[in-house]
Structures are given as C-alpha cells and as structure tokens.
Amino acid sequence: MEITVNGAVRIVDAEPDTPLLWVLRDNLGLTGTKYGCGLAQCGACTVLVQGLPVRSCVTPVESVAGLPVTTIETVEQDDVGRRIVEAWVAHQVPQCGYCQSGQVMAATALLKQVAAPSDSDIAAAMTNLCRCGTYNAIAAAIRNVAQG
Ligand code: FES
Ligand code: FES
C-alpha cells in the first residue's frame, strides 16, 4: 500500500492491520519512533497524522492511507517542531531519552493547535509517560516556546 511519510509517498509491503509503528520502524527504517508498551498507554510511539498526535503502536497502517504522517526524523522541518527541539536542548529535557521523541511530537502537536497553552492545557495534552520524570522540564520547555 501507499502511505505518505515525512512528505514522501512510500510503498510498503505490509498487512493492512499492521501497526503503523512497525511499518515506520521495520519497513521504512525510521527508528526514531519508539516502542514502549504497545497498548496506547505510554506515548513513546507518538507520531503526527494530519498534525495530530497518534499512538502508532495501535494505529493500523491502512487507517493512514492518504493522510500525511510526520515522524521525529523530520519534525525540525516544521517551525514549531524546530523551536520545540531547540527548547528541549536548552532545558536539557532528555535523561535516558527513550520517551523523548514521543514527547517532542506531542508537544509539537500541542503548540501547533494552541500557541499559548495554559498549564492545564499542557497537563491535558502531555499524557506521554516518562520513567525518568522529566515532566517539569518538558512543561518548562513548552512554556518557553509559547512565550517566544
Ligand atoms: S508504545 Fe505506543 S503508547 Fe506505548
Ligand atoms: S527521558 Fe527516560 S523515559 Fe523519559
């Protein structure tokens, strides 16, 4: 089937119900998107579909046919995504780093929808888990981008 990933149409040999996560990682070699729980709980696998955050571990690849998928590999081509990554670096957000590509994608989606999110907006949108406890740094980085 054909899917559009990071601005390019890609032809992938996969069953229609294969989770998008595995198509990205195994078929397309985009290993920046991580596997955590496989149960839509942790958010490590977050990518954007039409600009909205999606947990790719439970998203059948057939459901994104014809829709633009964005992964961490090209998020910095977007102005908001670039500013998020810069803020992540400035605030030294990552610890082990495993959850961080999903966190960056979720934060990018939030700031593209709400340019100046309140603390409750941030808490509501940033539901990805982090075993290293980087939540305060994540919120600070998001506030930093929102404040320009
Ligand atoms: S791996 Fe998808 S939500 Fe945890
Ligand atoms: S930085 Fe280690 S799990 Fe989030």
Side-chain angles (χ1 to χ4, degrees):
M1 74 185 62
E2 281 187 4
I3 60 173
T4 303
V5 179
N6 296 336
V9 175
R10 306 293 298 266
I11 298 172
V12 294
D13 181 10
E15 295 297 322
D17 60 352
T18 304
L20 175 60
L21 172 63
W22 300 120
V23 172
L24 294 172
R25 288 183 58 86
D26 294 345
N27 294 67
L28 300 179
L30 297 169
T31 54
T33 305
K34 302 304 185 193
Y35 170 74
C37 64
L39 299 168
Q41 299 296 306
C42 73
C45 64
T46 302
V47 299
L48 305 186
V49 177
Q50 288 190 300
L52 298 176
V54 165
R55 297 194 170 182
S56 63
C57 68
V58 293
T59 301
V61 65
E62 65 179 340
S63 72
V64 303
L67 304 176
V69 176
T70 305
T71 71
I72 189 71
E73 282 83 359
T74 60
V75 73
E76 289 173 88
Q77 293 176 9
D78 176 271
D79 182 58
V80 172
R82 179 184 54 75
R83 287 188 287 134
I84 286 284
V85 171
E86 287 173 356
W88 247 238
V89 173
H91 286 264
Q92 299 187 30
V93 174
Q95 295 299 311
C96 81
Y98 196 83
C99 74
Q100 295 295 326
S101 56
Q103 304 282 6
V104 164
M105 300 312 285
T108 299
L110 168 62
L111 283 175
K112 288 180 76 67
Q113 293 170 69
V114 184
S118 65
D119 286 352
S120 60
D121 290 334
I122 294 171
M126 297 303 295
T127 58
N128 290 11
L129 301 180
C130 174
R131 292 189 66 175
C132 300
T134 62
Y135 302 110
N136 289 341
I138 286 171
I142 291 171
R143 282 194 294 268
N144 188 239
V145 174
Q147 291 162 4

